[in-house]
Amino acid sequence: MSENWLPDLGKALQQAVNRAVDAVVTGHGDSLDGLSALLTAPVRWVEAGLLQLSPPVGIAIVAGAALLARPRPFFVLGMAALPAAIALLGVWQATMQSLALIAVAVLLVAMLGLPLGIMAARWPRLSRVLAPVYDLMQTIPSFVYLIPVAMVLGLGRAPALIATVIYALPPFARLTELGLREIDRELVAASRALGLSGRQTLWLVELPLARPAILQGLNQAIMMALAMVVVASMIGAKGLGEIVLLGLQRADPGLGFVGGLAIVLLAILLDRMAGAVLARGKGR
C-alpha cells in the first residue's frame, strides 16, 4: 500500500532546524565565537597544567591521592601502576588532554546538578518537570544535538564540553535529589527547632547527610564523561578518543587498541579512586 499520501514531516523538520541553525550562526557569529572561547578557556588552562606534569610526577600524585583516600599498600600500588601503564603505552599527553576535558565537564556538572538536585528535592513539581528532561538527555543519541552544537560553536573543545555535560548531568542531579529526599526529616526539623535557618540547615545538616548519594552521583558523572571521550574526538576534541578514531580511519587496529586500552586504564583509575573517596565519605 502506497504511503505517498502521508506528509513528509521529517523533511519539513530538517529544513526548519537548518534554517534555525543558519539564522543563529549568521546573526550571532561574533557572540558565538566569544561563547566558544569562554567555554574552552577552562579546558585549555587545565590541559596546560596537566601537560606540565611528567609521568613520574603524575604517578607520584596519583599514589599520594590513593594513600589519602585509602591507606592500604596494595591499593596505592595498584593505583600508581595504572598511570605508569598509560605512560608506557606512549599516550601520556593524549591522556592528559582527555582528563582535562573530563575534569572541567564534571566540575560544570557539579555546579549545575547540585542546585538542580536541591531545588527538585524541595519542590516535587519541579522534579516531575525535570524527570522527562533528564530522560531525554540520556536517551537521545549524542550526535542528535552534537551536530547542530558543532555547527553553531565550531569544531573542537566547546561542543565536546557541552555534549559531555548534557550526557553526564542527569545521574548526578538525580542522585543528589534522591540523597536529599531520603534524609530523616526529623533531623531537619530538630535543626530548625535549634534555631538554624533554612540555608544553614541545608549546608550543615542536609548536604552532609546526603553526601554518600552525592558522591555516588559524582562517580557516575565521571564515568559518563569518560564515555564521551571517543565521541568528542569526532568533532575535533584532542585526547585518547582521537587515537581510537585515527586507528579506525587508517585501518590500524593496533593504534585503536592502544587508545582503547588507555581509555580502559583511565576508567579503572577514575572509578577506583572515586570509589575510595565514596567509601571514605560513608565512614567505612
Side-chain angles (χ1 to χ4, degrees):
M1 181 178 178
S2 176
E3 296 182 355
N4 293 333
W5 59 273
L6 293 173
D8 191 352
L9 297 180
K11 188 173 183 179
L13 181 59
Q14 172 189 349
Q15 294 173 349
V17 171
N18 289 338
R19 286 195 299 267
V21 172
D22 290 341
V24 171
V25 172
T26 56
H28 307 279
D30 294 337
S31 300
L32 292 174
D33 290 340
L35 176 60
S36 179
L38 180 64
L39 289 172
T40 57
V43 182
R44 291 198 305 269
W45 296 336
V46 174
E47 182 180 308
L50 290 175
L51 290 176
Q52 296 301 314
L53 298 177
S54 63
V57 173
I59 294 168
I61 291 174
V62 170
L67 183 62
L68 292 175
R70 184 180 296 172
R72 297 178 183 175
F74 287 110
F75 178 75
V76 174
L77 289 175
M79 292 301 97
L82 291 171
I86 291 174
L88 290 173
L89 289 174
V91 291
W92 182 263
Q93 179 175 342
T95 302
M96 295 302 102
Q97 291 172 329
S98 294
L99 191 58
L101 179 62
I102 293 170
V104 175
V106 171
L107 178 61
L108 290 176
V109 165
M111 292 173 61
L112 295 172
L114 188 62
L116 283 174
I118 292 171
M119 290 187 294
R122 294 285 178 89
W123 299 308
R125 289 185 178 179
L126 178 61
S127 177
R128 290 193 292 270
V129 172
L130 290 175
V133 176
Y134 293 152
D135 291 337
L136 288 174
M137 291 169 69
Q138 286 192 292
T139 56
I140 292 179
S142 56
F143 284 107
V144 172
Y145 51 80
L146 198 57
I147 294 172
V149 171
M151 293 185 65
V152 169
L153 296 179
L155 299 178
R157 298 181 182 92
L161 180 63
I162 291 177
T164 304
V165 170
I166 290 175
Y167 191 61
L169 177 62
F172 179 77
R174 278 177 158 155
L175 283 170
T176 299
E177 177 187 352
L178 179 63
L180 291 171
R181 285 187 182 277
E182 291 184 341
I183 292 175
D184 189 348
R185 306 319 299 177
E186 292 183 359
L187 294 176
V188 177
S191 65
R192 297 301 298 271
L194 291 173
L196 295 181
S197 66
R199 181 175 298 179
Q200 290 173 328
T201 301
L202 173 65
W203 289 102
L204 299 178
V205 178
E206 295 182 73
L207 288 179
L209 290 175
R211 183 184 176 189
I214 294 174
L215 290 176
Q216 185 65 47
L218 193 62
N219 186 17
Q220 293 296 315
I222 292 172
M223 292 299 102
M224 292 288 190
L226 185 58
M228 290 294 293
V229 165
V230 177
V231 176
S233 69
M234 297 182 181
I235 53 172
K238 301 294 184 180
L240 293 173
E242 184 182 28
I243 295 177
V244 177
L245 184 62
L246 286 175
L248 179 64
Q249 292 174 340
R250 298 174 182 176
D252 187 341
L255 182 62
F257 181 79
V258 168
L261 180 58
I263 292 174
V264 171
L265 294 173
L266 181 60
I268 295 173
L269 174 63
L270 295 177
D271 181 62
R272 295 297 182 268
M273 289 295 295
V277 174
L278 176 60
R280 193 176 183 88
K282 291 180 178 178
R284 294 186 296 183

